Amino acid sequence: MKKLLLLCSAASIVAPTAAFAQSTGSQETEKDTIVVTGNRVNNGVDGVVVPDTTKAKAVITQELIARQAPGQTILNTLNLVPGVNFTQSDAYGSAGGNIRIRGFDGNRISLTFDGVPLNDSGNYAIFSNQQLDPELIEQVNVNLGVTDVDSPTASAAGGTINYRTIIPTNDMNVRVVTGLGQYDYQRGFLLLNTGRFTSFGTKAFIAASRAHNAKFKGPGDNNKWQVNGRIYQPLSNGDFISVAGNYNHNRNNFYRNPGLSDLRNLLGSTIVASTGSATSPAIVGGYDDTQSDLVNSLENLSSCNLTVPGPGTQNANGFTSGTPAVTFGSGPNGTLPVAPAVLGSINNNPANVQSCTNYYNLRINPSNTGNIRGQSRFTLTKGLILTVDPSFQYVLANGGGTTTFAENARQLQGSRFSATGGVDLNGDGDVRDTIRVFSPNNTNTRRIGLTSSLIWDLNPDHRVRVAYTYDRAHHRQTGEYGYLDNNGNPESVFGGRNGHPILDANGNVLQQRDRTSIASLNQLSGEYIGHFFDRRLMIDAGLRSPWFKRDLDNHCNAIVTSGFGYCSSEVLGTTPIPTSAGNFIVPVNYVPPPGGAPSNAVYAPFKAQYKYHKLLPNIGFTYKVIDNVSIFGNYAKGFSAPRTDNLYRAPVVNVTPESTDAFDGGVRYTTRQVQAQATVWKINYANRIVTSFDQALGISVDRNVGKVKSWGFDGSVAVKPIRQVALLGLVSYTKATLQQDILLGYATQSSTGATLATPVPIIAPTAGKMVPETPKWQYGGRAEVTLGPVDLGIQAKRVSSRFATDVNDVNVKGYTTVDLDARINLDYFGAKGVYAQLNVLNLLDEHYFGNLSTQINAFQICPSTTVRCANNTNNPNFTVGAPRTVLGSVSITF
């Protein structure tokens, strides 16, 4: 039998590499971890590789990546790694998702691309729909709970994920992939390898793709295109210089995710309980077809009826506004060649306005992202190697949004406020209307980085590395309000930043936030690798010393109770005034009165600087017990600095960085037919940061809530008993528990309304509770069989139940997904380099919830019936998993 092992894939033509790390320096340092059997390099079993490192690490190569759905985000493939759970909003990977490793969420996991950090520099979020086309990924590797010694990350307490780009091929070739599927899925991918085109061996590739699919429920769609390229110059002695670039363009409509209250309204309180506790949580998920249809019926609006503006106060059926056209009068906001529409209100009372808040084209997620990545290796002299990896990144993105403005609002009038004044936003000749506007929070980042290593081989058994890492992100966050057209669509998806801005009475751009941050990292690190006892024992010891600095400049006032911006030229005083009279400024050291801060208290614009530093040691070993069998152990200290965005909540934020102590130990068995690893691990997690609402202060604050203890085990085995069959099995168990309760605030009144002499603390009982969105059990596997020209693969994964709150008062049922892939290799019939592939996702059409938007608690918490507690209920949200989805593709390489 013949089997086409991805010969039609550009990646397969690349020579196998020996390192499974992030930067060029780490790749070079770890190159001895490759498994060698006899005189042949062992590249794993059908795309699954277990490298013999001191860390618990998993590697998936292009061979297995190519079996997944074309265009799918690379993070979805990591569901085949034990201890990792990725959930997403869409079957095709273009709508975003969430990843967790051993109980840590994506904001605490470092994601790198050829060693370049991809986590948002403000909130450390991972955006799974902005990743590289999977056809261009040579391999993806996961460090479970630890990171590489030169990692350029501010948040890696939960581990690291890195994927690497393919190297251009020596010979010229072209690859074309086209795909069609359910929900109007259409995708095209083109890759051109130039081959060696100079006498020096220079080679390059350029690639482009475009994908579209409609949402599987509700109006809207996902559109994505990207362009990639790489030029590679080999030098002597294994040295090289490489420059690569990526640009990704996404335009997505959000799915509307039901909250706990939505589920109760749709299904009734007999199915979704109206009360819950840790001992008797409300249960959600696991619905039948009829119930799931009801849940899926909750979606964004497909249209919004609008009206054309006219004189006087209007009562319209829709929301929209537009820059006034010449024929509709002039004003401070310029002109557009179209007539605007308006949202009116009776007596200027927004309560009388019909809401179109959930109109689908206002719930969008546009993003433009790009990067340039350099990699290089130079042999300075025998045994001395220098690696230098510079990078530049660009990001422009927002999450959509909408709000309304009364034309006589104080914020809009600014310093020219008067009781009868206002700004005629819609050009109808009066200031008596309430106008709906587009209100995105734009983030624009320019980020430069450098990772370099000097590696000295003292002798064949001892290696020393010194590394320097630099990262500087200029993070501009603005919220320029923008206009909507007559159908409620934004003039520009980036609001007034790229479209016509809304101006206040003074001619200033009206926005909801305006701040500039510089997040920088300077890091020195060192590493020693030594081999002993005839190279049966390897010791790897390292030390990271990162210096993080956060320079903040908030150009707007900040609302005390929420930390949100209040941007206006309005002249504010420092004396408390009634809410109806506007806002007032409080000092930096403001202490709210009993009962909480008033809603109109604001901080003046401020600047702040925060610095964080910690020594982060790691040490590990591998020991070859017998041929093909080794044991390993590792200790590493991890670190996550406070998120830059959260430092804007107040002029002074006192919160300690999170840190971890991670311990791994395990055994491996690796041959050309078997790749097996079993690991026992423990992570002690200190200074966990949560954001909670302080009822006493009346504000949301970030707090350190103490320790989290977690432990578990991971196991995987990949076996190829015969050439035509490959099997993979995986299992993981995670026990991650909070160790302390969370203070929500204080009750200041008795049940009768009398003021208490001593406020009573309101405590969320989180001690001993499971970390939310963390399944205790995950297990699954994959089987692949070759029958002549046909390859058949089926993979399944079971995820146990998860909690949606820290208190564990809402439990989400577990789920099982099964995926099928089938490929016909037409090379078998003489069509070299051609195959057709069928993928069926969620084959059994399981109804389940994927991503969870978690909260501290869902139901009311009050220490006693003798005191009066303000409402502290929350509404966790749940993302509906994609239904059964079928797609087909054809790949041609010539």
Side-chain angles (χ1 to χ4, degrees), residues 690-774:
V690 300
T691 301
S692 58
F693 186 75
D694 189 319
Q695 293 182 118
L697 299 179
I699 58 176
S700 294
V701 297
D702 280 5
R703 285 196 179 94
N704 293 111
V705 295
K707 299 178 180 179
V708 177
K709 290 186 178 180
S710 56
W711 66 274
F713 60 83
D714 307 323
S716 68
V717 56
V719 183
K720 199 172 184 68
I722 58 176
R723 185 167 56 89
Q724 295 83 8
V725 177
L727 304 172
L728 169 67
L730 57 98
V731 63
S732 67
Y733 174 83
T734 300
K735 179 70 171 179
T737 54
L738 306 171
Q739 299 300 299
Q740 294 177 232
D741 294 332
I742 298 176
L743 175 67
L744 297 181
Y746 294 88
T748 60
Q749 293 182 328
S750 70
S751 58
T752 60
T755 301
L756 298 174
T758 303
V760 178
I762 302 173
I763 304 294
T766 55
K769 305 301 189 299
M770 189 76 173
V771 173
E773 205 176 354
T774 301

Side-chain angles (χ1 to χ4, degrees), residues 418-696:
S418 71
T420 59
V423 177
D424 183 11
L425 291 177
N426 63 341
D428 65 350
D430 61 52
V431 291
R432 302 170 61 185
D433 307 308
T434 298
I435 308 299
R436 180 160 290 279
V437 298
F438 187 47
S439 58
N441 280 311
N442 293 309
T443 295
N444 187 202
T445 303
R446 289 172 172 82
R447 188 172 187 176
I448 57 174
L450 174 69
T451 302
S452 61
S453 292
L454 189 63
I455 302 166
W456 182 22
D457 287 329
L458 304 176
N459 57 49
D461 291 328
H462 299 278
R463 168 173 286 178
V464 175
R465 172 164 68 137
V466 178
Y468 171 71
T469 301
Y470 177 74
D471 184 35
R472 183 184 187 275
H474 182 277
H475 200 59
R476 190 78 173 90
Q477 296 174 301
T478 58
E480 301 93 336
Y481 294 106
Y483 287 100
L484 308 177
D485 67 17
N486 289 350
N487 296 313
N489 303 307
E491 177 206 355
S492 166
V493 294
F494 296 108
R497 181 190 186 277
N498 291 15
H500 289 76
I502 295 176
L503 307 180
D504 69 10
N506 296 87
N508 301 311
V509 174
L510 188 69
Q511 51 187 330
Q512 58 186 333
R513 69 174 182 179
D514 184 10
R515 60 201 196 196
T516 304
S517 311
I518 297 177
S520 61
L521 164 67
N522 283 276
Q523 177 176 274
L524 290 174
S525 53
E527 184 176 17
Y528 163 76
I529 296 178
H531 296 270
F532 304 90
F533 306 119
D534 197 25
R535 298 183 70 86
R536 300 184 74 87
L537 173 67
M538 182 182 75
I539 301 293
D540 186 340
L543 180 67
R544 292 173 58 207
S545 182
W547 286 269
F548 296 98
K549 187 169 70 169
R550 303 290 183 259
D551 291 300
L552 315 181
D553 190 354
N554 195 353
H555 308 294
C556 293
N557 299 310
I559 300 171
V560 173
T561 55
S562 66
F564 296 147
Y566 181 77
C567 305
S568 176
S569 61
E570 180 182 358
V571 178
L572 303 179
T574 58
T575 303
I577 55 177
T579 303
S580 60
N583 295 332
F584 68 96
I585 293 175
V586 298
V588 171
N589 58 352
Y590 173 66
V591 178
S599 60
N600 61 338
V602 300
Y603 295 111
F606 61 85
K607 294 183 179 181
Q609 185 181 88
Y610 297 89
K611 295 181 179 180
Y612 306 101
H613 173 253
K614 198 172 188 67
L615 292 176
L616 305 172
N618 67 81
I619 186 169
F621 76 93
T622 63
Y623 182 76
K624 182 177 291 187
V625 181
I626 58 175
D627 286 347
N628 304 322
V629 177
S630 63
I631 59 175
F632 67 95
N634 187 77
Y635 162 76
K637 194 164 192 67
F639 180 89
S640 284
R643 300 171 192 176
T644 307
D645 287 356
N646 292 0
L647 297 175
Y648 279 102
R649 293 187 178 275
V652 178
V653 175
N654 294 313
V655 65
T656 304
E658 300 172 336
S659 63
T660 58
D661 292 288
F663 303 86
D664 287 293
V667 60
R668 298 186 180 105
Y669 179 75
T670 52
T671 69
R672 283 179 294 173
Q673 289 77 36
V674 179
Q675 298 279 297
Q677 177 174 272
T679 306
V680 177
W681 58 269
K682 179 178 176 59
I683 300 177
N684 294 325
Y685 181 8
N687 301 319
R688 181 173 185 257
I689 300 172
V690 300
T691 301
S692 58
F693 186 75
D694 189 319
Q695 293 182 118

